[in-house]
Amino acid sequence: MLNDGSGQSPQRPAPSVYEKTRHSLPRQEQELELNNLDSGLLGECLNILPSWEDMVVSKIKNMMITEQGLALDTICNFLEEHNQLWEKQKEAHRDASVKKLLEFLSLDPKEAADKAILFHLYGLILRECPSEEQVQCHLASLLELSHQHSSQREGIALAVGLASTKHLQEVWALLEHLGRTKFLRSAAVSPDSQPSDHHLRWKWVSSTSLLCYGQIAKHIKKDILPWVDNIASRMVYYYSCGPCDEILKSSFLSAAILLTRSLRDEHGAQRYKFTQIPELVQCLLGILQKEPNFLTTFSRQKVILVIMGLSNLRPRLTPLLKSQVLKTCLHSVYKLPSTEALKSGSPSLERAPDIMVLYKKTIRALDLLLQNFISENPSMDEVCFLLQHTEHWLKSDENHERCRAVQSIFLLLQYAVDSLKLAEEAMPSMLGHQIGLLTLLWRDKDESTQQHSHHCVFLLMQLVFQQKGKLEESTQWSKMTHFEINKSREWEEKLYHVVKAFKKDLTVAQHTQLILTLVHNLGSDNYLRCDLAAQLLLMMCEEPGFRKEQVAELLQGLFQELPNIHSRSIQQTISKATMALGIQHTQEVVEVVLSLCHPSERWILLLWKALATNYHLSRDVITLLYIKLKLRPPRKLLQSKYQAHLVSLMALGTIYELLYTPEYRNTVRWAFAGILLGLLTELYYLLEMGLVQGIFDYQEDNIASKPHGPCRTCLEALKGLFWTNQYWEVFADLKLTQAWELFGKLETFTRGVTLLARAMAHYNCEVKAVLGQALISLKSTEERDNIVGICIITEFLNSPDVFQYVSRKAIDNSLSMGLSSRNRTVRAMSLQGLGSTLMHPNKVTLLRSKLMELLDNFLKPEFKDPVGLMEIMGHLLHCLGVQGIGTLSFKIAQHLLSLFTDERAKVRECAIFLFGDVIHYGGKKFHQSLKILAFQATVPLLFHMADPCPEVAMKAKFTFLRCAILLKWEFRKELFSKLAWGQGLGAANDIFVYMIESNFGNYQQFLSQALMYLDSPHKTLKGAAMRFIGALLQDYFSDLCFYLTKDDVIILKNYLEALSHDTDSRTRRFYLNHWDDVVELSHYVMS
């Protein structure tokens, strides 16, 4: 009959969903079950009147009051005297007075040994006694009997119940007195103390009281309603305050059964408003919670059925109490071991019922409870409420627990479909969640669970169709309930139809809850479940017409679940689903993902990466981010607590992260110009707003460091745009001239943009695309766009290919338009652009002649202001730009090279910097000549990186890199990294290696240039020269032996011999460390 997922256990038959059968109402079945809960209780065994009762009652009525009193005394005395022998009924007790009484009543005298009959007679006599005084007296005597043995307590309760039929007031008064005296005294005894005989006599008086109230409820019948709340309150009191043991629980349950049955038989009970139902239910739940986790009795079944009977009374159980009932009952039943374990593990007791009979009846009681609840409130809301409490068990790791839960749901839904008509108004969204949970069991390990879950989903959809009046839709679903999971093609095809049906037949809210249920199961430990969830989710996202209003909740749920998903295949499926969603609703997806968290969060990047798997989609994503970047709010919002949630700043942070995401590399290159202009104008805007906090705190060389403030984030995004797109030369140009720092202040921002554009023009970095964007920016109504645009256009006029991209007329028109700008900077730079040599080629001759005059003055040995002259020459070089300076470049560079060793730091600084400009702007025709000079400058520049003046050292790094680029050394990017961020001897050694390896065989030239610096008055320069020579001798000794001549070695020996007399300790140490190397080198070369 039942299968709980534990192997070969018997199965509960699954009624066909196509052949509806008539189900009996749960209340009718409950009545049958309640009528069979009597076994084991003395008073309940006599529910059917004994055959002799009518005859005995007629004789009792004919007795005089004194005779009745005498009979009662006789029975009571007999019971009291033989209390100790109660359980030893094999002995034949002879009592003449009792025998005579039985003979008088026409009963067999041998039945005197049966105390149950005596208690019954005692109750009948009390009931028929007309004297209230005598009833009170003999009731008191009855209650004074020992309460130690169960049969004694049950007998007393039966007699009290019979007496209450006609003497309820007296019975009630005596029970109240009993409670105030004997019960309170017995309850006051410590459970740890050794009980005396007296205490044992009264220890279980609370159990007797409970049984009495149950018998009273049974016997007063039509008079029960005025007394029912009092009876129930006393039952609750005695159970709550009595000793919590099996005797008390059994007595309370017996009384509750009798009370429930009496109320069921009372027609007026349905109109009566009870006050003690919740308290009774709480006591019953307490009993259920204390049940052991095995089956030996019918207690579980009894409790559940009594709760079911009480739930039918008014007022109905509150949702909170009903929820508690469901949780407790489901836990008590579902948590039982599997049927196989129950058979083998339950303790063997005498006269214990069959385990499987117990199990089946317990399961059936739970099913009846669920069906009763839905019968009380036949609505979809109630269905969802009931299913909500099975959720924990549907997710259980134990097969038998899942199996029990899904079988209960199946029977509940089958009953609802076949026997009820649900209210039409309710369309709860939670239904989608429950359909999702059941659908995920379609790939359960247990075949029975698979089948039942299929039927459950079908039945739920049947209820949906009933509500909508679409009964013909059930035919379509009928085809989906039977298919083989192992057949992949058929399985996927059916899933596809199911997904379409869900979308068509569920409301938007229900469908959304279904999707969220799938999402929340993606991180499940059960791979089959999370794989099915991912598969269904992908199908739903790929299905055309996915609703916009569902996008936000889906992505929010997905983001929350991502940290729990560890399976690579599930992550790939999620990526496909996100991409499919993005293709349908790109704008909504971008907006939601932006709003989920800070862009630097690890998990959000997975969603952005998913959107990059489609190239066209990734372009749309970057475009939307660019648009969001331009949604710049006013100052008051930027300075408020809502700053972190502003869309433009979130877009900025996201662009920064995506620059370093390989999946977006090609897309960023495609959108390079737009991103560049967007970042520049955003940075200007942030500077205007004053958001410069922390802009100089960021440690660029620290990998773990993250930019914090929006201004710093924007600046780092600007740098990253060049670095990640392999335009590292542009980045390096600004880094080594410290031009990136110019972007940190509004006053120097335009200078920074100018230098950036100048480097881009020289290295031909996206000139065409950026120029086009700059021209568009110049037409913008925003001044910041105009400023950035004009700075770029003006500098790009130094690019040799500018007129290949844009016509001279277009440039002229744009610059002329800039002259009418309200912004002073735009007007000035427009005028500067119109006056450039590219717009006026005739200026080239004039500027070159002027440069020649300056060169003549520059070459004079005693020129007073070489620094000022070099600054002017640098400006003229820039003005000539692409036109170049012709043959003058070589002469200027030669003279500048001689100034590297000038005693004045400012002269060295300007000469080194201008040297870099000369070889930079020398023109292609003179590259070969300039390369010779660049090569000659490399060793001095290397040494000047250790110049005592920091400005000279920085300019030396800058010009050294320009020389390396001109000479096309290997490892240029690595060289820049060491120049920019390297520290200590390790970085110096790497630079030395890059230099030597890129100029293999040029040892003679390097050595001759280094020897000159051994005479330098600056200790740092001299030290750099010694380290350089020492490294050559140590690391490249064999190469020196091959490439150096005899004259070279003689010169080297002479220089080192001169150092032997130096007073400086480091110099002498250098001599001592390397003199032997030089001697050995001389030996090899000379021979």
Side-chain angles (χ1 to χ4, degrees), residues 377-407:
N377 181 19
S379 68
M380 192 65 84
D381 281 330
E382 186 69 13
V383 171
C384 291
F385 178 79
L386 296 176
L387 296 190
Q388 179 183 351
H389 291 83
T390 65
E391 180 175 337
H392 169 77
W393 305 102
L394 294 177
K395 294 179 178 180
S396 172
D397 294 331
E398 299 292 338
N399 284 346
H400 63 276
E401 291 176 5
R402 294 195 306 276
C403 189
R404 287 168 183 166
V406 79
Q407 286 175 349

Side-chain angles (χ1 to χ4, degrees), residues 959-996:
T959 303
F960 185 82
L961 181 63
R962 280 194 164 179
C963 291
I965 293 172
L966 179 66
L967 295 170
K968 296 183 179 179
W969 286 0
E970 297 179 37
F971 316 112
R972 295 189 295 277
K973 189 174 183 180
E974 293 79 1
L975 172 63
F976 160 67
S977 297
K978 295 300 178 182
L979 291 171
W981 300 295
Q983 295 178 351
L985 293 176
N989 183 66
D990 290 339
I991 295 170
F992 166 78
V993 171
Y994 295 148
M995 176 180 174
I996 299 300

Side-chain angles (χ1 to χ4, degrees), residues 656-896:
Y656 170 79
E657 296 293 334
L658 297 188
L659 289 175
Y660 294 93
T661 305
E663 289 82 354
Y664 279 91
R665 193 62 47 80
N666 293 332
T667 309
V668 169
R669 177 65 71 90
W670 166 79
F672 184 94
I675 295 174
L676 174 63
L677 272 292
L679 290 174
L680 286 171
T681 51
E682 177 74 5
L683 184 54
Y684 191 88
Y685 158 75
L686 294 171
L687 291 172
E688 284 183 313
M689 297 295 107
L691 294 179
V692 295
Q693 185 177 4
I695 190 168
F696 297 115
D697 297 339
Y698 174 65
Q699 298 178 5
E700 191 178 62
D701 57 340
N702 185 356
I703 296 175
S705 179
K706 285 276 187 181
H708 294 292
C711 214
R712 188 72 214 189
T713 300
C714 191
L715 179 55
E716 291 307 314
L718 189 60
K719 295 178 184 179
L721 182 64
F722 291 93
W723 185 259
T724 58
N725 284 280
Q726 302 304 314
Y727 295 123
W728 65 270
E729 296 98 338
V730 177
F731 178 91
D733 219 59
L734 272 70
K735 174 66 179 176
L736 294 178
T737 55
Q738 298 178 306
W740 288 119
E741 281 71 10
L742 298 173
F743 289 94
K745 296 180 181 178
L746 201 59
E747 298 79 12
T748 57
F749 178 83
T750 53
R751 177 64 180 163
V753 178
T754 298
L755 293 177
L756 177 63
R758 186 175 298 175
M760 290 176 66
H762 178 76
Y763 293 109
N764 194 26
C765 170
E766 301 284 346
V767 172
K768 179 180 179 181
V770 174
L771 182 60
Q773 285 289 330
L775 291 171
I776 294 172
S777 296
L778 199 57
K779 298 174 184 177
S780 171
T781 56
E782 295 283 346
E783 283 191 7
R784 64 180 73 95
D785 292 342
N786 303 154
I787 292 171
V788 171
I790 194 61
C791 289
I792 292 173
I793 293 169
T794 304
E795 283 302 319
F796 274 12
L797 291 177
N798 292 320
S799 172
D801 305 320
V802 66
F803 286 144
Q804 293 181 18
Y805 310 137
V806 182
S807 66
R808 181 186 295 271
K809 184 178 180 181
I811 293 288
D812 188 83
N813 291 339
S814 296
L815 293 173
S816 300
M817 182 177 65
L819 293 175
S820 60
S821 173
R822 293 176 298 176
N823 187 277
R824 183 174 162 185
T825 302
V826 175
R827 293 197 303 271
M829 299 202 73
S830 298
L831 186 61
Q832 180 183 328
L834 287 169
S836 66
T837 56
L838 193 66
M839 301 300 291
H840 298 280
N842 55 335
K843 283 186 174 183
V844 174
T845 305
L846 178 63
L847 291 173
R848 281 179 178 170
S849 63
K850 187 64 179 174
L851 191 61
M852 180 67 77
E853 293 177 19
L854 293 174
L855 180 60
D856 291 339
N857 292 329
F858 192 42
L859 295 175
K860 292 177 181 179
E862 297 182 357
F863 189 74
K864 293 182 179 179
D865 186 18
V867 174
L869 185 60
M870 283 189 282
E871 288 177 352
I872 295 172
M873 293 175 72
H875 179 68
L876 289 176
L877 280 175
H878 171 60
C879 289
L880 285 167
V882 295
Q883 307 298 335
I885 56 178
T887 55
L888 295 175
S889 59
F890 193 77
K891 292 181 180 179
I892 296 172
Q894 271 186 322
H895 187 64
L896 290 171

Side-chain angles (χ1 to χ4, degrees), residues 597-634:
C597 69
H598 192 274
S600 63
E601 288 286 338
R602 171 189 172 190
W603 300 108
I604 200 67
L605 198 58
L606 294 178
L607 296 180
W608 290 117
K609 286 181 179 180
L611 298 176
T613 52
N614 180 288
Y615 184 57
H616 296 290
L617 176 59
S618 67
R619 286 188 170 193
D620 292 339
V621 168
I622 292 295
T623 302
L624 283 168
L625 288 174
Y626 171 76
I627 293 171
K628 301 294 181 187
L629 184 66
K630 295 176 74 69
L631 298 175
R632 295 167 181 135

